[in-house]
Amino acid sequence: MLRTLGAALAAALALTGLAASAGADRSPATTTTTLATAATPIPTPTFACPPALPVSGQVTGATTTSITITYWMVLSPPCGYDPPLVVSLFASREDATGWRDPVAEVVTGPERSGTVTVGGLIPGSAYWFRFGDTKGVRDPYVIGGPARTLSLCSATATIDSRWGGGFVATVTVRNDGTDPVPGWLVSWRWSGDERIQSVWGGVAEGSGQDAEVRNASWNGTLAPGASTTFGLLVATSATPAAITPVCGR
């Protein structure tokens, strides 16, 4: 009997210990949670170039075979250029627009502003200029011109007689330079419906409103200070007040 009671008491004590252990295991655990705070992104600044031409220039001088261009570099990279510049000359605005067939190129000095002279040109001819740098970067904005070299000759026109359907005029061509003129071309633009009927002392060229007369075979060469003339018979509904010819080659 006593043995049975002791066994029962031992079993009860064992159960009590297990219950206490289980209760201890079921006590709430303390959990520490760390929330990661996302960093606010910093926007990358967008660089904008000011509304100004990075480089500009203008013709400030000319001779019969050269053109002088004054340039100034307004902005530096990334909006502009560093010296030296490359100045390219073209024989037409279309060629200049397309960067096609430059007739001459020259490199400026190290100054950010200055002058540069392009030589070896044809007297009495028009040119257009553009800028670039020595690294091959071409300026997309400036197309300067027309810049004209000085002519070796000059031309003046006189209307000798006029009537209701036309007029007769005489054009004088003179060598104003110090070298002989090997040949000349006189050009002008009509203001109305003028049409050349005949020419003496020259050969008519051109078409429409753009008139041109080239020297004849016998009067093309002019010594310094020498002159020659050619005549025009023109049909028109209204005789112009004057003709303003330009002489070149």
mmCIF file of all heavy atoms in Angstrom, residues 154-163 167-174 184 186 188 190 198-202 213 219 227-234 239 242-245:
data_model
loop_
_atom_site.group_PDB
_atom_site.id
_atom_site.type_symbol
_atom_site.label_atom_id
_atom_site.label_comp_id
_atom_site.label_asym_id
_atom_site.label_seq_id
_atom_site.Cartn_x
_atom_site.Cartn_y
_atom_site.Cartn_z
ATOM 1 N N SER A 154 35.821 97.158 -113.087
ATOM 2 C CA SER A 154 34.544 97.782 -112.735
ATOM 3 C C SER A 154 33.747 97.987 -114.013
ATOM 4 O O SER A 154 34.287 97.966 -115.119
ATOM 5 C CB SER A 154 34.767 99.114 -112.013
ATOM 6 O OG SER A 154 35.445 100.025 -112.868
ATOM 7 N N ALA A 155 32.432 98.173 -113.857
ATOM 8 C CA ALA A 155 31.569 98.370 -115.018
ATOM 9 C C ALA A 155 30.534 99.435 -114.707
ATOM 10 O O ALA A 155 29.991 99.480 -113.596
ATOM 11 C CB ALA A 155 30.889 97.062 -115.405
ATOM 12 N N THR A 156 30.276 100.290 -115.666
ATOM 13 C CA THR A 156 29.237 101.320 -115.569
ATOM 14 C C THR A 156 28.406 101.287 -116.844
ATOM 15 O O THR A 156 28.918 100.979 -117.929
ATOM 16 C CB THR A 156 29.840 102.719 -115.378
ATOM 17 O OG1 THR A 156 30.750 102.992 -116.460
ATOM 18 C CG2 THR A 156 30.584 102.820 -114.044
ATOM 19 N N ALA A 157 27.120 101.587 -116.708
ATOM 20 C CA ALA A 157 26.213 101.523 -117.859
ATOM 21 C C ALA A 157 25.541 102.866 -118.075
ATOM 22 O O ALA A 157 25.202 103.573 -117.113
ATOM 23 C CB ALA A 157 25.167 100.440 -117.642
ATOM 24 N N THR A 158 25.322 103.211 -119.341
ATOM 25 C CA THR A 158 24.620 104.433 -119.728
ATOM 26 C C THR A 158 23.529 104.069 -120.729
ATOM 27 O O THR A 158 23.797 103.354 -121.705
ATOM 28 C CB THR A 158 25.577 105.443 -120.381
ATOM 29 O OG1 THR A 158 26.626 105.742 -119.462
ATOM 30 C CG2 THR A 158 24.844 106.720 -120.750
ATOM 31 N N ILE A 159 22.307 104.521 -120.487
ATOM 32 C CA ILE A 159 21.226 104.310 -121.442
ATOM 33 C C ILE A 159 21.281 105.436 -122.467
ATOM 34 O O ILE A 159 21.083 106.605 -122.138
ATOM 35 C CB ILE A 159 19.863 104.269 -120.717
ATOM 36 C CG1 ILE A 159 19.833 103.072 -119.755
ATOM 37 C CG2 ILE A 159 18.715 104.191 -121.725
ATOM 38 C CD1 ILE A 159 18.558 102.945 -118.943
ATOM 39 N N ASP A 160 21.584 105.072 -123.711
ATOM 40 C CA ASP A 160 21.807 106.074 -124.755
ATOM 41 C C ASP A 160 20.500 106.589 -125.360
ATOM 42 O O ASP A 160 20.375 107.796 -125.637
ATOM 43 C CB ASP A 160 22.681 105.485 -125.866
ATOM 44 C CG ASP A 160 24.011 104.971 -125.330
ATOM 45 O OD1 ASP A 160 24.642 105.699 -124.531
ATOM 46 O OD2 ASP A 160 24.405 103.855 -125.680
ATOM 47 N N SER A 161 19.563 105.720 -125.561
ATOM 48 C CA SER A 161 18.274 106.138 -126.134
ATOM 49 C C SER A 161 17.201 105.157 -125.694
ATOM 50 O O SER A 161 17.498 103.990 -125.393
ATOM 51 C CB SER A 161 18.352 106.204 -127.663
ATOM 52 O OG SER A 161 18.658 104.923 -128.201
ATOM 53 N N ARG A 162 15.961 105.611 -125.678
ATOM 54 C CA ARG A 162 14.859 104.772 -125.249
ATOM 55 C C ARG A 162 13.609 105.102 -126.054
ATOM 56 O O ARG A 162 13.455 106.198 -126.566
ATOM 57 C CB ARG A 162 14.609 104.936 -123.747
ATOM 58 C CG ARG A 162 14.163 106.334 -123.321
ATOM 59 C CD ARG A 162 14.081 106.448 -121.807
ATOM 60 N NE ARG A 162 15.393 106.509 -121.189
ATOM 61 C CZ ARG A 162 15.633 106.249 -119.918
ATOM 62 N NH1 ARG A 162 14.641 105.889 -119.112
ATOM 63 N NH2 ARG A 162 16.854 106.356 -119.421
ATOM 64 N N TRP A 163 12.714 104.152 -126.147
ATOM 65 C CA TRP A 163 11.421 104.343 -126.807
ATOM 66 C C TRP A 163 10.411 103.419 -126.132
ATOM 67 O O TRP A 163 10.741 102.734 -125.157
ATOM 68 C CB TRP A 163 11.539 104.054 -128.316
ATOM 69 C CG TRP A 163 12.070 102.694 -128.649
ATOM 70 C CD1 TRP A 163 11.360 101.570 -128.871
ATOM 71 C CD2 TRP A 163 13.441 102.342 -128.787
ATOM 72 N NE1 TRP A 163 12.180 100.511 -129.128
ATOM 73 C CE2 TRP A 163 13.474 100.964 -129.102
ATOM 74 C CE3 TRP A 163 14.665 103.053 -128.682
ATOM 75 C CZ2 TRP A 163 14.668 100.273 -129.296
ATOM 76 C CZ3 TRP A 163 15.828 102.359 -128.906
ATOM 77 C CH2 TRP A 163 15.837 100.994 -129.207
ATOM 78 N N PHE A 167 15.263 99.955 -125.468
ATOM 79 C CA PHE A 167 16.306 100.974 -125.326
ATOM 80 C C PHE A 167 17.638 100.422 -125.806
ATOM 81 O O PHE A 167 17.811 99.204 -125.985
ATOM 82 C CB PHE A 167 16.405 101.449 -123.873
ATOM 83 C CG PHE A 167 16.825 100.371 -122.891
ATOM 84 C CD1 PHE A 167 18.159 100.172 -122.568
ATOM 85 C CD2 PHE A 167 15.869 99.568 -122.277
ATOM 86 C CE1 PHE A 167 18.542 99.195 -121.664
ATOM 87 C CE2 PHE A 167 16.243 98.586 -121.372
ATOM 88 C CZ PHE A 167 17.580 98.395 -121.062
ATOM 89 N N VAL A 168 18.587 101.327 -125.967
ATOM 90 C CA VAL A 168 19.971 100.996 -126.300
ATOM 91 C C VAL A 168 20.855 101.511 -125.174
ATOM 92 O O VAL A 168 20.663 102.629 -124.684
ATOM 93 C CB VAL A 168 20.398 101.619 -127.648
ATOM 94 C CG1 VAL A 168 21.902 101.445 -127.864
ATOM 95 C CG2 VAL A 168 19.632 100.980 -128.791
ATOM 96 N N ALA A 169 21.827 100.690 -124.745
ATOM 97 C CA ALA A 169 22.721 101.078 -123.655
ATOM 98 C C ALA A 169 24.157 100.735 -124.013
ATOM 99 O O ALA A 169 24.429 99.817 -124.809
ATOM 100 C CB ALA A 169 22.328 100.377 -122.366
ATOM 101 N N THR A 170 25.087 101.482 -123.420
ATOM 102 C CA THR A 170 26.517 101.222 -123.558
ATOM 103 C C THR A 170 27.099 100.934 -122.184
ATOM 104 O O THR A 170 26.839 101.675 -121.221
ATOM 105 C CB THR A 170 27.251 102.423 -124.173
ATOM 106 O OG1 THR A 170 26.726 102.673 -125.474
ATOM 107 C CG2 THR A 170 28.742 102.147 -124.281
ATOM 108 N N VAL A 171 27.876 99.855 -122.073
ATOM 109 C CA VAL A 171 28.508 99.470 -120.806
ATOM 110 C C VAL A 171 30.018 99.602 -120.977
ATOM 111 O O VAL A 171 30.594 99.067 -121.939
ATOM 112 C CB VAL A 171 28.137 98.035 -120.402
ATOM 113 C CG1 VAL A 171 28.845 97.652 -119.095
ATOM 114 C CG2 VAL A 171 26.632 97.880 -120.267
ATOM 115 N N THR A 172 30.650 100.322 -120.035
ATOM 116 C CA THR A 172 32.106 100.509 -120.050
ATOM 117 C C THR A 172 32.741 99.610 -118.997
ATOM 118 O O THR A 172 32.327 99.616 -117.829
ATOM 119 C CB THR A 172 32.471 101.971 -119.761
ATOM 120 O OG1 THR A 172 31.876 102.807 -120.758
ATOM 121 C CG2 THR A 172 33.977 102.176 -119.781
ATOM 122 N N VAL A 173 33.743 98.846 -119.394
ATOM 123 C CA VAL A 173 34.470 97.940 -118.501
ATOM 124 C C VAL A 173 35.881 98.478 -118.348
ATOM 125 O O VAL A 173 36.572 98.742 -119.339
ATOM 126 C CB VAL A 173 34.508 96.510 -119.073
ATOM 127 C CG1 VAL A 173 35.233 95.572 -118.102
ATOM 128 C CG2 VAL A 173 33.104 96.004 -119.369
ATOM 129 N N ARG A 174 36.344 98.642 -117.092
ATOM 130 C CA ARG A 174 37.652 99.231 -116.824
ATOM 131 C C ARG A 174 38.453 98.344 -115.874
ATOM 132 O O ARG A 174 37.900 97.777 -114.914
ATOM 133 C CB ARG A 174 37.491 100.624 -116.212
ATOM 134 C CG ARG A 174 38.828 101.338 -115.894
ATOM 135 C CD ARG A 174 38.578 102.710 -115.317
ATOM 136 N NE ARG A 174 37.885 103.548 -116.278
ATOM 137 C CZ ARG A 174 38.485 104.223 -117.260
ATOM 138 N NH1 ARG A 174 39.804 104.154 -117.405
ATOM 139 N NH2 ARG A 174 37.789 104.962 -118.088
ATOM 140 N N TRP A 184 36.907 89.249 -118.727
ATOM 141 C CA TRP A 184 35.939 89.859 -117.818
ATOM 142 C C TRP A 184 34.544 89.319 -118.077
ATOM 143 O O TRP A 184 34.228 88.798 -119.152
ATOM 144 C CB TRP A 184 35.943 91.385 -117.917
ATOM 145 C CG TRP A 184 35.924 91.932 -119.326
ATOM 146 C CD1 TRP A 184 36.978 92.344 -120.072
ATOM 147 C CD2 TRP A 184 34.756 92.125 -120.149
ATOM 148 N NE1 TRP A 184 36.579 92.775 -121.300
ATOM 149 C CE2 TRP A 184 35.213 92.652 -121.381
ATOM 150 C CE3 TRP A 184 33.394 91.915 -119.996
ATOM 151 C CZ2 TRP A 184 34.345 92.976 -122.422
ATOM 152 C CZ3 TRP A 184 32.519 92.223 -121.026
ATOM 153 C CH2 TRP A 184 32.996 92.754 -122.225
ATOM 154 N N VAL A 186 30.584 90.712 -117.048
ATOM 155 C CA VAL A 186 29.738 91.740 -116.447
ATOM 156 C C VAL A 186 28.345 91.149 -116.234
ATOM 157 O O VAL A 186 27.782 90.515 -117.138
ATOM 158 C CB VAL A 186 29.664 92.986 -117.347
ATOM 159 C CG1 VAL A 186 28.676 94.003 -116.774
ATOM 160 C CG2 VAL A 186 31.041 93.613 -117.488
ATOM 161 N N TRP A 188 24.329 91.651 -114.134
ATOM 162 C CA TRP A 188 23.362 92.490 -113.428
ATOM 163 C C TRP A 188 22.026 91.755 -113.428
ATOM 164 O O TRP A 188 21.859 90.714 -114.066
ATOM 165 C CB TRP A 188 23.231 93.869 -114.080
ATOM 166 C CG TRP A 188 22.657 93.857 -115.475
ATOM 167 C CD1 TRP A 188 21.358 94.039 -115.837
ATOM 168 C CD2 TRP A 188 23.390 93.667 -116.686
ATOM 169 N NE1 TRP A 188 21.210 93.964 -117.201
ATOM 170 C CE2 TRP A 188 22.454 93.734 -117.752
ATOM 171 C CE3 TRP A 188 24.738 93.444 -116.998
ATOM 172 C CZ2 TRP A 188 22.814 93.593 -119.086
ATOM 173 C CZ3 TRP A 188 25.097 93.289 -118.328
ATOM 174 C CH2 TRP A 188 24.152 93.366 -119.357
ATOM 175 N N TRP A 190 17.855 92.231 -114.064
ATOM 176 C CA TRP A 190 16.780 93.069 -114.581
ATOM 177 C C TRP A 190 15.690 93.245 -113.526
ATOM 178 O O TRP A 190 15.447 92.355 -112.712
ATOM 179 C CB TRP A 190 16.156 92.445 -115.828
ATOM 180 C CG TRP A 190 17.029 92.337 -117.039
ATOM 181 C CD1 TRP A 190 17.379 91.210 -117.697
ATOM 182 C CD2 TRP A 190 17.641 93.419 -117.752
ATOM 183 N NE1 TRP A 190 18.182 91.504 -118.776
ATOM 184 C CE2 TRP A 190 18.354 92.855 -118.844
ATOM 185 C CE3 TRP A 190 17.673 94.808 -117.588
ATOM 186 C CZ2 TRP A 190 19.065 93.612 -119.759
ATOM 187 C CZ3 TRP A 190 18.384 95.569 -118.495
ATOM 188 C CH2 TRP A 190 19.072 94.992 -119.564
ATOM 189 N N SER A 198 20.230 92.003 -128.864
ATOM 190 C CA SER A 198 21.540 91.837 -129.498
ATOM 191 C C SER A 198 22.607 92.532 -128.664
ATOM 192 O O SER A 198 22.306 93.445 -127.877
ATOM 193 C CB SER A 198 21.540 92.392 -130.926
ATOM 194 O OG SER A 198 21.286 93.787 -130.909
ATOM 195 N N VAL A 199 23.855 92.080 -128.833
ATOM 196 C CA VAL A 199 25.014 92.633 -128.110
ATOM 197 C C VAL A 199 26.130 92.818 -129.122
ATOM 198 O O VAL A 199 26.342 91.974 -129.996
ATOM 199 C CB VAL A 199 25.481 91.681 -126.982
ATOM 200 C CG1 VAL A 199 26.708 92.234 -126.281
ATOM 201 C CG2 VAL A 199 24.369 91.424 -125.978
ATOM 202 N N TRP A 200 26.858 93.921 -129.026
ATOM 203 C CA TRP A 200 28.066 94.104 -129.822
ATOM 204 C C TRP A 200 29.221 94.467 -128.877
ATOM 205 O O TRP A 200 29.055 95.192 -127.912
ATOM 206 C CB TRP A 200 27.882 95.185 -130.892
ATOM 207 C CG TRP A 200 27.320 96.491 -130.409
ATOM 208 C CD1 TRP A 200 28.012 97.600 -130.064
ATOM 209 C CD2 TRP A 200 25.948 96.808 -130.227
ATOM 210 N NE1 TRP A 200 27.168 98.608 -129.670
ATOM 211 C CE2 TRP A 200 25.883 98.145 -129.777
ATOM 212 C CE3 TRP A 200 24.740 96.101 -130.408
ATOM 213 C CZ2 TRP A 200 24.685 98.790 -129.476
ATOM 214 C CZ3 TRP A 200 23.554 96.750 -130.122
ATOM 215 C CH2 TRP A 200 23.540 98.072 -129.665
ATOM 216 N N GLY A 201 30.366 93.883 -129.149
ATOM 217 C CA GLY A 201 31.522 94.060 -128.267
ATOM 218 C C GLY A 201 31.531 93.100 -127.099
ATOM 219 O O GLY A 201 32.339 93.238 -126.172
ATOM 220 N N GLY A 202 30.675 92.091 -127.096
ATOM 221 C CA GLY A 202 30.609 91.117 -126.014
ATOM 222 C C GLY A 202 29.745 89.931 -126.412
ATOM 223 O O GLY A 202 29.147 89.914 -127.494
ATOM 224 N N VAL A 213 27.173 89.345 -119.627
ATOM 225 C CA VAL A 213 27.858 89.557 -120.898
ATOM 226 C C VAL A 213 29.341 89.308 -120.673
ATOM 227 O O VAL A 213 29.964 89.945 -119.800
ATOM 228 C CB VAL A 213 27.626 90.974 -121.456
ATOM 229 C CG1 VAL A 213 28.459 91.189 -122.718
ATOM 230 C CG2 VAL A 213 26.146 91.197 -121.756
ATOM 231 N N ASN A 219 38.619 91.733 -127.008
ATOM 232 C CA ASN A 219 38.695 92.807 -126.003
ATOM 233 C C ASN A 219 38.690 92.282 -124.572
ATOM 234 O O ASN A 219 38.334 92.992 -123.649
ATOM 235 C CB ASN A 219 37.557 93.804 -126.198
ATOM 236 C CG ASN A 219 36.182 93.179 -125.954
ATOM 237 O OD1 ASN A 219 36.060 91.968 -125.772
ATOM 238 N ND2 ASN A 219 35.149 94.009 -125.945
ATOM 239 N N SER A 227 40.341 100.363 -120.633
ATOM 240 C CA SER A 227 38.904 100.111 -120.630
ATOM 241 C C SER A 227 38.438 99.690 -122.013
ATOM 242 O O SER A 227 39.142 99.887 -123.020
ATOM 243 C CB SER A 227 38.134 101.351 -120.172
ATOM 244 O OG SER A 227 38.315 102.410 -121.095
ATOM 245 N N THR A 228 37.243 99.108 -122.065
ATOM 246 C CA THR A 228 36.593 98.747 -123.318
ATOM 247 C C THR A 228 35.091 98.893 -123.120
ATOM 248 O O THR A 228 34.628 99.108 -121.978
ATOM 249 C CB THR A 228 36.947 97.310 -123.734
ATOM 250 O OG1 THR A 228 36.455 97.059 -125.047
ATOM 251 C CG2 THR A 228 36.358 96.303 -122.775
ATOM 252 N N THR A 229 34.326 98.793 -124.187
ATOM 253 C CA THR A 229 32.873 98.946 -124.083
ATOM 254 C C THR A 229 32.167 97.842 -124.860
ATOM 255 O O THR A 229 32.741 97.212 -125.750
ATOM 256 C CB THR A 229 32.410 100.312 -124.631
ATOM 257 O OG1 THR A 229 32.736 100.388 -126.027
ATOM 258 C CG2 THR A 229 33.060 101.454 -123.877
ATOM 259 N N PHE A 230 30.903 97.624 -124.493
ATOM 260 C CA PHE A 230 30.009 96.807 -125.304
ATOM 261 C C PHE A 230 28.631 97.456 -125.282
ATOM 262 O O PHE A 230 28.294 98.227 -124.374
ATOM 263 C CB PHE A 230 29.962 95.347 -124.830
ATOM 264 C CG PHE A 230 29.379 95.125 -123.457
ATOM 265 C CD1 PHE A 230 28.006 94.956 -123.280
ATOM 266 C CD2 PHE A 230 30.207 95.054 -122.343
ATOM 267 C CE1 PHE A 230 27.478 94.729 -122.021
ATOM 268 C CE2 PHE A 230 29.676 94.826 -121.083
ATOM 269 C CZ PHE A 230 28.307 94.670 -120.911
ATOM 270 N N GLY A 231 27.848 97.161 -126.310
ATOM 271 C CA GLY A 231 26.534 97.770 -126.447
ATOM 272 C C GLY A 231 25.421 96.748 -126.344
ATOM 273 O O GLY A 231 25.609 95.540 -126.572
ATOM 274 N N LEU A 232 24.216 97.241 -125.992
ATOM 275 C CA LEU A 232 23.047 96.389 -125.814
ATOM 276 C C LEU A 232 21.845 96.971 -126.541
ATOM 277 O O LEU A 232 21.602 98.185 -126.497
ATOM 278 C CB LEU A 232 22.675 96.277 -124.326
ATOM 279 C CG LEU A 232 23.679 95.665 -123.346
ATOM 280 C CD1 LEU A 232 23.198 95.901 -121.916
ATOM 281 C CD2 LEU A 232 23.830 94.182 -123.619
ATOM 282 N N LEU A 233 21.088 96.113 -127.189
ATOM 283 C CA LEU A 233 19.756 96.456 -127.668
ATOM 284 C C LEU A 233 18.786 95.614 -126.865
ATOM 285 O O LEU A 233 18.858 94.373 -126.888
ATOM 286 C CB LEU A 233 19.618 96.155 -129.166
ATOM 287 C CG LEU A 233 18.204 96.310 -129.744
ATOM 288 C CD1 LEU A 233 17.703 97.748 -129.603
ATOM 289 C CD2 LEU A 233 18.164 95.852 -131.199
ATOM 290 N N VAL A 234 17.897 96.280 -126.143
ATOM 291 C CA VAL A 234 17.029 95.593 -125.182
ATOM 292 C C VAL A 234 15.576 95.888 -125.499
ATOM 293 O O VAL A 234 15.209 97.046 -125.754
ATOM 294 C CB VAL A 234 17.359 96.031 -123.738
ATOM 295 C CG1 VAL A 234 16.479 95.287 -122.733
ATOM 296 C CG2 VAL A 234 18.832 95.785 -123.426
ATOM 297 N N THR A 239 11.316 100.959 -119.757
ATOM 298 C CA THR A 239 12.764 101.136 -119.651
ATOM 299 C C THR A 239 13.149 101.434 -118.206
ATOM 300 O O THR A 239 12.553 102.307 -117.570
ATOM 301 C CB THR A 239 13.235 102.295 -120.545
ATOM 302 O OG1 THR A 239 12.874 102.009 -121.894
ATOM 303 C CG2 THR A 239 14.737 102.479 -120.449
ATOM 304 N N ALA A 242 17.927 102.867 -114.529
ATOM 305 C CA ALA A 242 19.375 102.669 -114.620
ATOM 306 C C ALA A 242 19.685 101.185 -114.624
ATOM 307 O O ALA A 242 18.858 100.353 -114.240
ATOM 308 C CB ALA A 242 20.102 103.372 -113.477
ATOM 309 N N ILE A 243 20.903 100.854 -115.054
ATOM 310 C CA ILE A 243 21.442 99.489 -114.970
ATOM 311 C C ILE A 243 22.660 99.560 -114.062
ATOM 312 O O ILE A 243 23.508 100.438 -114.220
ATOM 313 C CB ILE A 243 21.847 98.951 -116.359
ATOM 314 C CG1 ILE A 243 20.644 98.982 -117.312
ATOM 315 C CG2 ILE A 243 22.388 97.537 -116.257
ATOM 316 C CD1 ILE A 243 21.020 98.613 -118.742
ATOM 317 N N THR A 244 22.738 98.608 -113.123
ATOM 318 C CA THR A 244 23.860 98.588 -112.175
ATOM 319 C C THR A 244 24.661 97.308 -112.374
ATOM 320 O O THR A 244 24.395 96.293 -111.726
ATOM 321 C CB THR A 244 23.359 98.692 -110.727
ATOM 322 O OG1 THR A 244 22.492 99.813 -110.596
ATOM 323 C CG2 THR A 244 24.527 98.850 -109.763
ATOM 324 N N PRO A 245 25.643 97.328 -113.265
ATOM 325 C CA PRO A 245 26.403 96.099 -113.542
ATOM 326 C C PRO A 245 27.548 95.904 -112.557
ATOM 327 O O PRO A 245 28.051 96.853 -111.942
ATOM 328 C CB PRO A 245 26.930 96.338 -114.965
ATOM 329 C CG PRO A 245 27.093 97.829 -115.042
ATOM 330 C CD PRO A 245 26.025 98.425 -114.168
#
